[in-house]
């Protein structure tokens, strides 16, 4: 086994995991705090990616797409929460799954109408298009390094918001006992709307910045959704820390699986699920889940 | 009697099919300390929950300073100046003591008044200051009760609803809580105190309301209450 290649795969796994974290953290806080299983979460990743396509064309730069895409995602999140999700708070999980699955169908149809079913790609910003040489023969994509840095910065900001601000305190308190939060004079409807918008914008951001590194095609939202659920379950439902560790583990398992198990047909993509099964056998509520 | 800060008028409440409150009526004057007594299951907690809007009254009204709250959501009722300490304390275990205190802190509604601050709450409960970085789930029962009272004070309420004030606490901690109830009363916050200790309540509350099966059977001062041993025995078991 080539050590340098292994290190590059590791970097890829971490980068893949960090991006997954942005999606999974939104999924896990929406479930943990609001009690809503949001199957449409992957759709916000897809929307982010396609927004990156249009907004990069329109503004001429990916950075423009990020600057415009995030406010759009926040507004979209607030609108979806007020129109649909708000009706799900006191419903059982089956109803949540049905409604949010319906949203997936709608978003996919809209994607097909607006952007068509052909694959697309989004150009990388020129300054990040190159690669960083690692050895004489191997190099690593500058853009992927940039992705990792952005994800780490966002993860750090999320940590600060959750652990160092009153909003974060209220979010954590709401995850535990929303009735008590209301009894203290906090409008949990507004709190939940903010949480949902944060979750949506994290996911949309992941979609926007991932777009230049991956191709865009119908169904990318669902792919990300499924793997994010695996991350959330491994990390422990509702735990952002768990989502972080889970995402890195899954990112690595996925990349190592593709790289080293490709000789065993079918096993390459199964590495992720094997990891999930192993974690759940060991800790049924996930790594950082509440027992 | 001075102006009522809280007016509970003919409140009925149900849990599903079971009819729990049957027209509970009383008023709480500004700065008054009122006890709410009754054996287990008589509807004391439900009365407090109805005031907070956590149980919607099926009939009847609850006014805070003239605002009809029956149709307001719980958070609006709280921001009108009602603070609630539930039986189970409602501490957030995943927040530190300090975070539990500051997460909902608010200045007084009318801008006036002394204003409870972190500093004043820590003066009242030095124990909380010593444990301010502990997680909520690492506290003893007494510390939890101090925290939930402190957290209620941080919202600078005009009315404090205190359910089972000393239940399950060690004797020394109980004394501490009774002392604090006295301080709160002296600070001018009107309060409704639920507790099993009739003697202590008689010593501190200005007025007493006794519930039997969701109905008010007594509403008067300590002398009238303590002067009727037969009543005390029948409805309060003392
Ligand atoms: N969540 C609930 N669902 C159904 N019945 C309840 C519920 N909570 C309380 N009760 C019933 O309501 C009555 C009054 O309860 P409660 O107000 O808690 O009494 P108290 O606080 O005086 O002990 C009791 O008979 C109790 O069994
Ligand atoms: Mg009770």
């Amino acid at each position: 086994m080539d050590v340098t290649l292994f290190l590059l795969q590791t970097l890829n796994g971490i980068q893949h995991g960090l991006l997954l974290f942005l999606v999974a953290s939104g999924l896990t806080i929406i479930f943990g705090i609001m009690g809503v299983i949001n199957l449409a979460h992957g759709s916000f990743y897809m929307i982010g990616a396609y927004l990156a396509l249009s907004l990069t064309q329109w503004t001429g730069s990916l950075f423009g797409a990020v600057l415009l895409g995030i406010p759009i995602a926040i507004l979209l999140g607030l609108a979806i929460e007020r129109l649909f999700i708000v009706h799900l708070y006191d419903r059982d999980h089956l109803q949540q799954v049905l409604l949010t699955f319906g949203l997936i169908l709608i978003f996919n149809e809209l994607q097909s109408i607006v952007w068509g079913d052909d694959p697309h790609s989004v150009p990388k910003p020129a300054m990040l298009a190159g690669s960083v040489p690692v050895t004489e023969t191997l190099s690593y994509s500058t853009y992927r390094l940039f992705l990792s840095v952005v994800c780490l910065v966002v993860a750090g900001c999320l940590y600060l918001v959750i652990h160092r601000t009153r909003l974060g305190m209220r979010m954590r308190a709401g995850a535990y006992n929303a009735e008590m939060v209301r009894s203290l004079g906090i409008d949990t409807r507004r709190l939940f709307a903010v949480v949902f918008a944060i979750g949506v914008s994290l996911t949309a951001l992941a979609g926007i910045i991932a777009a230049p590194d991956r191709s865009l095609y119908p169904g990318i939202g669902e792919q990300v959704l499924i793997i994010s659920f695996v991350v959330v379950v491994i990390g422990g439902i509702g735990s952002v820390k768990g989502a972080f560790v889970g995402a890195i583990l899954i990112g690595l398992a996925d990349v190592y699986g593709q790289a080293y198990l490709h000789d065993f047909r079918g096993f390459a993509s199964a590495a992720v699920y094997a990891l999930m099964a192993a974690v759940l056998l060991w800790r049924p509520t996930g790594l950082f889940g509440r027992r | 009697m001075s102006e009522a800060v809280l007016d509970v008028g003919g409140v009925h409440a149900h849990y599903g099919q079971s009819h729990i409150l049957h027209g509970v009526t009383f008023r709480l004057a500004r700065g008054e300390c009122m006890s709410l007594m009754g054996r287990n299951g008589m509807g004391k907690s439900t009365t407090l929950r109805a005031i907070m809007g956590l149980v919607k009254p099926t009939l009847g009204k609850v006014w805070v300073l003239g605002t009809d709250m029956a149709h307001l959501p719980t958070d609006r009722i709280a921001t009108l100046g009602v603070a609630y300490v539930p039986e189970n304390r409602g501490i957030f275990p995943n927040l530190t003591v300090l975070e539990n205190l500051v997460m909902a802190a608010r200045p007084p509604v009318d801008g006036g008044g002394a204003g409870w601050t972190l500093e004043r709450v820590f003066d009242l409960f030095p124990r909380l200051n010593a444990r301010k970085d502990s997680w909520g789930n690492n506290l003893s029962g007494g510390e939890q009760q101090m925290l939930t009272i402190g957290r209620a004070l941080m919202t600078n309420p005009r009315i404090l609803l205190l359910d089972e004030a000393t239940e399950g606490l060690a004797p020394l901690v109980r004394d501490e809580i009774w002392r604090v109830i006295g301080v709160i009363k002296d600070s001018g916050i009107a309060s409704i105190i639920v507790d099993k200790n009739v003697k202590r309540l008689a010593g501190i509350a200005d007025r007493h309301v006794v519930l039997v099966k969701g109905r008010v059977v007594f509403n008067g001062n300590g002398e009238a209450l303590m002067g009727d041993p037969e009543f005390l025995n029948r409805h309060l078991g003392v």
Side-chain angles (χ1 to χ4, degrees):
Chain A
M1 194 161 76
D2 182 336
V3 177
T4 318
L5 200 59
F6 176 77
L7 287 178
L8 288 185
Q9 298 290 13
T10 304
L11 267 182
N12 271 334
I14 290 172
Q15 177 268 318
H16 181 42
L18 285 170
L19 210 51
L20 268 179
F21 168 73
L22 292 193
V23 182
S25 60
L27 195 61
T28 208
I29 60 176
I30 288 170
F31 187 81
I33 295 170
M34 300 156 60
V36 172
I37 297 183
N38 177 26
L39 290 189
H41 200 66
S43 302
F44 299 119
Y45 174 92
M46 177 275 287
I47 290 168
Y50 278 95
L51 277 178
L53 177 67
S54 295
L55 294 173
T56 306
Q57 279 166 5
W58 191 58
T59 63
S61 128
L62 182 77
F63 302 112
V66 172
L67 283 181
L68 284 176
I70 296 299
I72 292 175
I74 291 172
L75 292 177
L76 179 69
L78 291 173
I80 296 292
E81 196 271 345
R82 207 31 37 115
L83 286 173
F84 301 104
I85 307 296
V86 77
H87 302 292
L88 294 177
Y89 293 146
D90 298 318
R91 307 274 183 133
D92 60 42
H93 290 160
L94 177 65
Q95 289 175 319
Q96 299 178 349
V97 164
L98 286 176
L99 188 138
T100 54
F101 185 74
L103 288 177
I104 293 185
L105 299 179
I106 293 170
F107 283 132
N108 280 351
E109 199 55 37
L110 288 175
Q111 175 263 313
S112 181
I113 293 168
V114 176
W115 288 286
D117 292 339
D118 296 333
H120 292 280
S121 62
V122 175
K124 289 174 187 156
M127 58 191 277
L128 299 171
S131 57
V132 183
V134 179
T135 61
E136 274 154 32
T137 49
L138 292 169
S139 63
Y140 194 76
S141 150
T142 313
Y143 190 75
R144 288 194 168 178
L145 284 179
F146 162 78
L147 273 186
S148 295
V149 171
V150 171
C151 291
L152 278 172
V153 169
V154 172
C157 292
L158 190 61
Y159 178 88
L160 289 178
V161 166
I162 290 176
H163 291 279
R164 295 280 181 276
T165 67
R166 291 223 305 175
L167 172 64
M169 292 173 203
R170 291 169 176 194
M171 285 166 59
R172 280 180 287 145
Y176 191 78
N177 184 347
E179 183 179 287
M180 193 66 227
V181 173
R182 279 193 284 279
S183 302
L184 288 164
I186 293 154
D187 181 352
T188 47
R189 275 175 57 109
R190 211 165 69 193
L191 180 66
F192 286 4
V194 170
V195 167
F196 195 78
I198 290 176
V200 168
S201 37
L202 285 170
T203 305
L205 175 66
I208 296 172
I209 58 177
D213 192 53
R214 303 170 179 192
S215 59
L216 276 57
Y217 50 88
I220 43 171
E222 286 75 78
Q223 262 182 7
V224 169
L225 176 74
I226 291 167
I227 197 91
S228 300
F229 263 114
V230 174
V231 167
V232 168
V233 168
I234 286 183
I237 291 170
S239 166
V240 175
K241 198 198 293 173
F244 188 83
V245 176
I248 300 293
L249 287 177
I250 288 294
L252 288 170
D254 202 11
V255 168
Y256 290 151
Q258 306 290 349
Y260 299 111
L261 294 176
H262 52 72
D263 295 342
F264 308 92
R265 230 162 20 97
F267 277 90
S269 45
V272 165
Y273 299 97
L275 178 66
M276 175 170 80
V279 168
L280 291 185
L281 280 174
W282 174 47
R283 276 172 180 262
T285 54
L287 294 174
F288 294 90
R290 246 189 246 140
R291 254 141 298 176
Chain B
M1 199 168 88
S2 61
E3 173 203 4
V5 284
L6 176 71
D7 193 335
V8 177
V11 165
H12 288 252
H14 291 73
Y15 283 118
Q17 291 296 312
S18 35
H19 196 161
I20 308 293
L21 299 184
H22 301 262
V24 171
T25 300
F26 58 79
R27 306 175 98 203
L28 184 69
R30 185 179 288 277
E32 187 181 26
C33 175
M34 186 193 111
S35 81
L36 185 59
M37 298 194 240
R39 290 177 184 265
N40 272 339
M42 291 305 173
K44 304 178 298 293
S45 298
T46 307
T47 302
L48 299 188
R49 290 175 61 79
I51 295 170
M52 280 317 291
L54 294 167
V55 179
K56 285 291 162 199
T58 35
L59 206 65
K61 292 246 158 81
V62 178
W63 288 273
V64 166
L65 288 167
T67 307
D68 177 6
M69 307 193 298
H71 301 289
L72 290 183
T74 297
D75 58 273
R76 286 286 301 126
I77 294 172
T79 50
L80 281 173
V82 190
Y84 173 51
V85 173
E87 294 183 84
N88 62 12
R89 332 266 200 230
I91 292 302
F92 303 114
N94 51 347
L95 269 63
T96 64
V97 167
L98 190 65
E99 290 174 334
N100 267 283
L101 289 172
V102 303
M103 59 133 345
R106 276 197 304 279
V109 185
D110 37 25
W116 285 92
T117 57
L118 200 56
E119 205 178 7
R120 276 188 72 196
V121 169
F122 282 157
D123 281 347
L124 189 62
F125 296 114
R127 185 80 201 130
L128 291 183
N129 196 0
R131 303 223 50 189
K132 62 175 185 279
D133 294 320
S134 305
W135 295 105
N137 57 355
N138 290 336
L139 302 181
S140 70
E143 289 165 343
Q144 284 189 24
Q145 186 65 325
M146 295 175 196
L147 179 54
T148 180
I149 293 173
R151 184 179 63 183
L153 291 174
M154 292 291 286
T155 68
N156 277 294
R158 291 186 279 201
I159 302 164
L160 177 69
L161 312 178
L162 184 46
D163 203 353
E164 300 296 357
T166 65
E167 186 174 52
L169 303 182
L172 275 178
V173 184
R174 292 184 175 208
D175 289 344
E176 166 93 357
I177 300 295
W178 287 114
R179 172 186 73 82
V180 165
I181 291 172
V183 173
I184 292 169
K185 181 185 173 186
D186 293 342
S187 80
I189 297 174
S191 56
I192 300 179
I193 315 290
V194 173
D195 199 79
K196 300 269 178 317
N197 193 332
V198 177
K199 251 202 188 141
R200 283 287 199 154
L201 283 172
I204 203 165
D206 304 308
R207 198 158 48 82
H208 310 277
V209 167
V210 178
L211 288 182
V212 173
K213 294 189 181 150
R215 289 185 172 85
V216 174
V217 297
F218 178 91
N219 185 342
N221 64 22
E223 268 167 46
L225 180 74
M226 299 311 274
D228 188 348
E230 203 269 330
F231 179 89
L232 284 177
N233 186 29
R234 186 149 44 104
H235 295 310
L236 301 173
V238 288

